[in-house]
Amino acid sequence: MYRISVVPGDGIGPEIIAEGIRVLEAAGDACGIKFEWKYFPYGAEHYLETEEVLPDDALKEMEKTESIYLGAVGDPRVKPGILEKELLLKMRFYFDQYVNLRPIKLYPGVPCPLKDKGPEHINFYVVRENTEDFYVGVGDRLSSAKHSSLLEIKRKLYDIKFNIDITQDKANEIAYQVGIISREGARRIMKFAFELAKRKGMNRVTAVDKANVLTHIYSLWRDVFEEVAKDYPGIDTEFNFVDAVTMWFVKNPEWYRVVVTPNMFGDIITDLGAMIQGGMGLAPGGNINPEGISMFEPIHGSAPKYKGQNRVNPIATILAGQLMLEDLNEQGAADLVERATIEVLREGKIRTYDLGGTSKTSEVGNAIARKVAELG
Ligand code: IPM
Ligand code: MN
């Protein structure tokens, strides 16, 4: 029996999570796995009513469960940054989910916006570092000639304080933001990327950075990549600058196998990745702590304008459920969810508007759950 924390969140979150759970239940029935779902109310509605975003007690409760299933966060009534930082990033950091695993896979029957590219060309993983880089969120904004700030980054790995004294020629208004890469933070994400390549039989790992401009943080990133690569002599390695990656994902996606990237560039290139795999409605992600509690979510947002319409594609969330099963070592059930999804996509009868169909969110969830039962 697995206890799973569920945070449906905002906008379309509750609708897609309901379909994800329907499919996971079906896979559980087929494979003899039981789930107990523990729901948490956090998100915009809860915040607007109570001013509470995510209390520490809730994190402690989630710590008693085996995994976390998240819908989406974000709401136009809440200032940008509050729910993102205090809910989503807080969970990623608290549970030290240092891997953001985002498969970029185009399934048969899914329209791809790239001319002459099909499923045989688009099948790779982006391994996004998930706790460091510019996402550490420390910085300041000032407009005095003399200023000092105490900035702190607290992680499972370290507690770092920056005492920054600023002296300016005059009272310019400026803002700055600090990005961090640590040797250990880089090492563990590189190791995950190479281990993934090995496990999946993929023979190339590409490291993304902008080491030609952000020379401090990404020279450390590169050094660690080269060191970790030495333990995997059978796997080819290369460095790609992030700007070039956006070009190559479009021009030659078939080149890529495992792509390891710092946090912020990973955020950007996986939206591009989602588009070449058929759209945001198909792109799942896992926030993984291989030694701890992981969290699975679609990579898209809360799409507030579609809230309550039973209209959006639940497949990204369903495939996030597949990633959860894989993380729980339930490979058979994970494969079943993927095969059922592929089959429903291939048949092409039941699909939401983003894939050119007219089916409802719940019809897609139902069809995949039925297919799971049939194949299981
Ligand atoms: C994502 C999202 C988040 C991120 C936001 C909502 C904080 O864009 O998961 O890709 O930037 O990581
Ligand atoms: Mn994003």
Side-chain angles (χ1 to χ4, degrees), residues 91-92 95-99 130 287-289 293-295:
M91 287 195 282
R92 288 178 182 170
F95 294 108
D96 203 21
Q97 293 158 344
Y98 62 85
V99 181
N130 214 26
N287 303 277
I288 297 174
N289 176 341
I293 298 166
S294 302
M295 173 166 76

Side-chain angles (χ1 to χ4, degrees), residues 124 126 190 204-213 218 221-222 225-226 236-250 252-262 265-266 269:
F124 61 96
V126 174
M190 302 304 182
R204 180 179 302 113
V205 179
T206 304
V208 173
D209 60 48
K210 188 73 184 174
N212 49 347
V213 176
Y218 299 135
W221 173 261
R222 285 195 168 200
F225 180 75
E226 283 179 325
D236 292 344
T237 59
E238 61 175 0
F239 292 113
N240 277 186
F241 292 131
V242 64
D243 47 349
V245 158
T246 63
M247 171 187 75
W248 292 118
F249 273 16
V250 171
N252 275 113
E254 61 274 18
W255 175 256
Y256 293 103
R257 298 290 176 268
V258 173
V259 175
V260 63
T261 166
F265 297 148
I269 66 176

Side-chain angles (χ1 to χ4, degrees), residues 5-18:
S5 297
V6 183
V7 186
D10 303 323
I12 56 160
E15 298 161 52
I16 53 179
I17 275 288

